[in-house]
Amino acid sequence: MRDLCLRFCLLLLGLPSLAIAQWVDVQLTNAGFEEWDGAGPVGWEQIAGIDPDSCIVASTLTDTTDAAAGVRALLLRGDRSTCRWSSVRLPALTVVPGEVYRLRGQLKALAIEPEGQRYRNAQVFALVVDQNDKQIAYYNTPVLTGTTAWAAHEVAFQIPPGAASMQIAAFLTMPGALLVDDLSLARLDPPAPTDAWSEAQRWSADLDYIVTLLTTFHPQPFAHLTRDTFLTGIEALKTAPAEDTSRIWRLRALLCGLGDSHTGCGLPDGANARLPLALAMFGDEMRVVAAAPAAAALCGGRIVAVDGRPVATVLAGLRPQIAFTHENWFRAQAPDWMRMPVALHALGLVDAPDAITYTVVVDTSTEVTVRVALEATTDSATWTIAGPAKDAYPLYRRQDRFYWFEYLPDSHTLYLKYDRASDDPERPLRQFGVDLVTALDAHPIERFVFDLRHNSGGSNLLRGLFKELARRVGDGRIGRTFVITGRRTFSAAVYDADAMRRDTGAVVVGEATGMAPIHPGQIASFTLPGTGLKFDCSTKMIQASNDTSAALMPDVPVEVMWEDFLAGRDPVLDAVLKYERP
């Protein structure tokens, strides 16, 4: 009603109509299963799975008069847990990467039994394939179990890159019965700004679009901020004039208030420009750990002031721009922000957008002040780096690769450093896994150490490894497993740490992770058509266990302090090697 009133008022005033985001129905053949021809619903293809030899009675499909709407519904009945099951699907629909769809249906379950099943499906879904009919994505409504009444279920999804078509299907792979009726598919058309739109109209349409995307995709959008507070904030932002450059930062702060580090708006163009130095937190101190020649005098110093402001004041001003549920993620992100003059200037935290004056304390008492400017290019090979020479680095700093391992014969320890949860093109994870298992077979393993302290996520690719390690722990080939975590352990890496703990009984050593074990994830990314800003939104809850803590907490808390960094020590691995069973 609000949208209709807005369009009518704009028409009366002679203003261009706002093409707000809207759902457009996609026609599905026989979506209510009212028409049947022989053994199946008209327009639907039955897919018969390949049944194992032990399968005597395959699952069946038929119609039923127990319908949610109309006269008929689809009934899928599963009779044997050993069968590969049949399903029904519609002809393929052409899709375009980036499109957003919402699949809805009325579903009912009758005595569906999930126990012991290899294939757990009782839902409707969309199967997305590329031009060669290779599956690249699968989106399903929640899987039903037990006995339920008729109820509406839905799933929203974004078509991934490389997609060419999708098929809508219904599927049951467990004993029991699944009833399906009244399916619908809709496509979300984003706002479509025209040249006649004002900046205010573009901004307002983008804000409404964010609300639509957030409430469509996010599994728990208002877990940390109430819906009313969020919507009130959105409406207040709509009144901000176009010349108000702070409005984007206020929008970011509002989205950060949702408490999901995966959901929010990107930075304005150029705001992520960084000064040629590297900073890190050690305890409560922020130190300069590396710097270009012009700022070399700062290296090793403890920052006490930024453009004359106490460092604590600047850090406090940054908090609204960093979404976190545990302090450690703020500690992981803040050092990078502290070398971004464009962003800090826009937030009123430094004086200029192209340089920052840092005051540091070195050698316990000497103050050094240097103004550091943005440079067009910086050769990191010329930087001064605090701490020991490379040949004295601790083990965790010795290689700069996606993942690597080393066997430590003195302690019978196999140490795996896993820094990126994605496939290394120079050493594919599959081959790496073969090499790792070979190493496990070649040596006595008293400790297996999985170091995730610098892994900020990606994809969950190691489930098979955790199962293999669990088998080896179970039969005594591995004495004990450990997971090293840190403040930068984030997203998929937190899942991996939690799964390792769950599957192998690993002892967690190090710092609390930067994200909770149960967290929103699997990001969908959008470009807001009015402003061009990027908006990311989580689409599902990710979890390996039932740990509801704000972070995955270590069993043995250890942090690398400044003195350790300078001396090239790793107190975290030392704690692992000294660990004794309680």
Side-chain angles (χ1 to χ4, degrees):
M1 179 62 71
R2 173 183 176 273
D3 295 335
L4 289 175
C5 291
L6 176 60
R7 291 173 184 271
F8 181 68
C9 291
L10 289 170
L11 182 63
L12 290 177
L13 295 171
L15 297 175
S17 175
L18 295 182
I20 62 173
Q22 55 186 327
W23 291 100
V24 179
D25 289 335
V26 177
Q27 187 66 39
L28 296 179
T29 301
N30 195 19
F33 302 100
E34 295 295 322
E35 300 177 55
W36 285 73
D37 181 10
V42 171
W44 291 78
E45 173 190 7
Q46 182 172 354
I47 312 166
I50 300 174
D51 301 331
D53 293 339
S54 59
C55 178
I56 300 173
V57 181
S59 59
T60 60
L61 64 87
T62 184
D63 63 328
T64 175
T65 56
D66 181 2
V71 177
R72 289 177 166 176
L74 169 69
L75 172 63
L76 291 167
R77 187 179 298 279
D79 299 310
R80 281 291 302 266
S81 62
T82 55
C83 289
R84 289 286 301 275
W85 308 81
S86 62
S87 64
V88 292
R89 66 183 179 187
L90 286 170
L93 301 167
T94 300
V95 294
V96 175
E99 288 181 326
V100 172
Y101 287 89
R102 182 181 63 203
L103 175 63
R104 285 177 170 171
Q106 293 285 335
L107 302 177
K108 179 178 179 178
L110 296 177
I112 295 178
E113 302 173 10
E115 292 82 4
Q117 304 307 308
R118 179 182 177 189
Y119 303 102
R120 298 191 178 200
N121 296 284
Q123 76 275 337
V124 294
F125 66 89
L127 178 66
V128 182
V129 300
D130 63 16
Q131 60 183 359
N132 298 316
D133 288 333
K134 179 182 177 180
Q135 177 180 333
I136 58 175
Y138 177 90
Y139 306 101
N140 60 277
T141 59
V143 175
L144 299 187
T145 59
T147 297
T148 67
W150 281 108
H153 297 272
E154 69 176 51
V155 59
F157 53 93
Q158 183 183 40
I159 301 298
S165 62
M166 71 173 172
Q167 288 187 303
I168 305 302
F171 203 19
L172 174 69
T173 65
M174 295 181 283
L178 176 68
L179 286 75
V180 185
D181 200 6
D182 199 24
L183 295 185
S184 66
L185 182 69
R187 184 185 67 250
L188 180 63
D189 284 353
T194 69
D195 292 342
W197 282 33
S198 68
E199 287 296 322
Q201 289 172 320
R202 292 172 180 271
W203 174 250
S204 180
D206 277 358
L207 294 177
D208 284 335
Y209 191 36
I210 286 174
V211 174
T212 299
L213 294 173
L214 184 69
T215 54
T216 295
F217 280 100
H218 203 289
Q220 296 180 7
F222 306 114
H224 299 277
L225 192 69
T226 68
R227 177 189 293 267
D228 287 347
T229 299
F230 180 76
L231 295 180
T232 298
I234 288 290
E235 290 302 317
L237 282 168
K238 288 182 180 180
T239 64
E243 61 272 15
D244 180 3
T245 56
S246 71
R247 64 181 187 175
I248 290 177
W249 299 97
R250 300 204 316 270
L251 171 60
R252 280 183 46 84
L254 179 63
L255 292 169
C256 285
L258 297 172
D260 174 11
S261 302
H262 281 137
T263 296
C265 274
L267 297 172
D269 288 344
N272 64 345
R274 291 165 171 82
L275 298 174
L277 70 167
L279 313 177
M281 295 287 292
F282 297 90
D284 295 329
E285 300 178 347
M286 183 173 291
R287 293 273 183 171
V288 180
V289 296
L298 298 173
C299 200
R302 171 173 58 89
I303 299 176
V304 294
V306 178
D307 276 356
R309 299 169 177 86
V311 66
T313 300
V314 180
L315 288 173
L318 275 179
R319 286 184 172 272
Q321 294 297 318
I322 300 174
F324 60 95
T325 56
H326 189 277
E327 182 70 13
N328 261 8
W329 187 239
F330 178 78
R331 295 175 71 220
Q333 295 297 298
D336 205 33
W337 278 79
M338 291 288 282
R339 61 191 188 103
M340 294 166 54
V342 177
L344 294 179
H345 180 256
L347 294 168
L349 299 175
V350 299
D351 298 332
D354 57 354
I356 297 176
T357 299
Y358 296 94
T359 300
V360 304
V361 173
V362 296
D363 300 328
T364 70
S365 61
T366 305
E367 278 198 0
V368 175
T369 298
V370 176
R371 186 168 178 78
V372 186
L374 288 172
E375 299 180 11
T377 59
T378 56
D379 182 1
S380 59
T382 66
W383 287 24
T384 299
I385 301 174
K390 283 190 175 182
D391 59 4
Y393 278 0
L395 182 60
Y396 74 90
R397 294 184 63 191
R398 290 181 192 168
Q399 295 194 44
D400 184 18
R401 307 181 68 175
F402 282 30
Y403 34 75
W404 53 276
F405 66 84
E406 185 171 326
Y407 182 68
L408 310 178
D410 292 345
S411 60
H412 295 168
T413 298
L414 198 149
Y415 172 87
L416 168 61
K417 187 71 157 51
Y418 189 55
D419 283 349
R420 291 185 62 177
S422 55
D423 212 25
D424 185 342
E426 296 184 2
R427 193 182 189 187
L429 199 57
R430 183 178 296 275
Q431 181 57 51
F432 178 79
V434 172
D435 296 341
L436 181 63
V437 171
T438 300
L440 287 171
D441 289 335
H443 304 286
I445 308 294
E446 293 183 12
R447 301 173 188 82
F448 182 92
V449 183
F450 187 36
D451 192 340
L452 287 163
R453 75 183 91 177
H454 297 127
N455 192 316
S456 60
S459 301
N460 300 119
L461 304 170
L462 299 181
R463 296 174 186 175
L465 172 63
F466 305 145
K467 300 299 183 185
E468 177 64 24
L469 293 174
R471 284 192 290 270
R472 291 170 181 261
V473 170
D475 63 23
R477 284 179 288 171
I478 293 177
R480 191 90 192 201
T481 60
F482 297 83
V483 174
I484 293 177
T485 59
R487 70 196 72 161
R488 289 171 57 190
T489 309
F490 185 74
S491 192
V494 178
Y495 177 94
D496 287 341
D498 201 17
M500 179 81 168
R501 177 177 64 171
R502 176 199 65 198
D503 291 346
T504 73
V507 178
V508 183
V509 182
E511 296 180 274
T513 58
M515 179 172 271
I518 302 175
H519 58 264
Q522 195 164 310
I523 302 169
S525 296
F526 306 90
T527 298
L528 303 179
T531 59
L533 284 174
K534 181 183 177 183
F535 175 69
D536 290 337
C537 186
S538 294
T539 64
K540 65 181 297 185
M541 296 302 295
I542 308 295
Q543 69 179 97
S545 74
N546 294 321
D547 184 348
T548 58
S549 304
L552 193 155
M553 306 302 293
D555 302 304
V556 182
V558 189
E559 180 179 347
V560 176
M561 302 302 287
W562 176 241
E563 294 76 14
D564 300 314
F565 184 83
L566 277 182
R569 293 191 298 261
D570 183 5
V572 186
L573 184 56
D574 290 345
V576 169
L577 298 179
K578 295 175 182 176
Y579 181 84
E580 296 184 3
R581 297 172 186 267

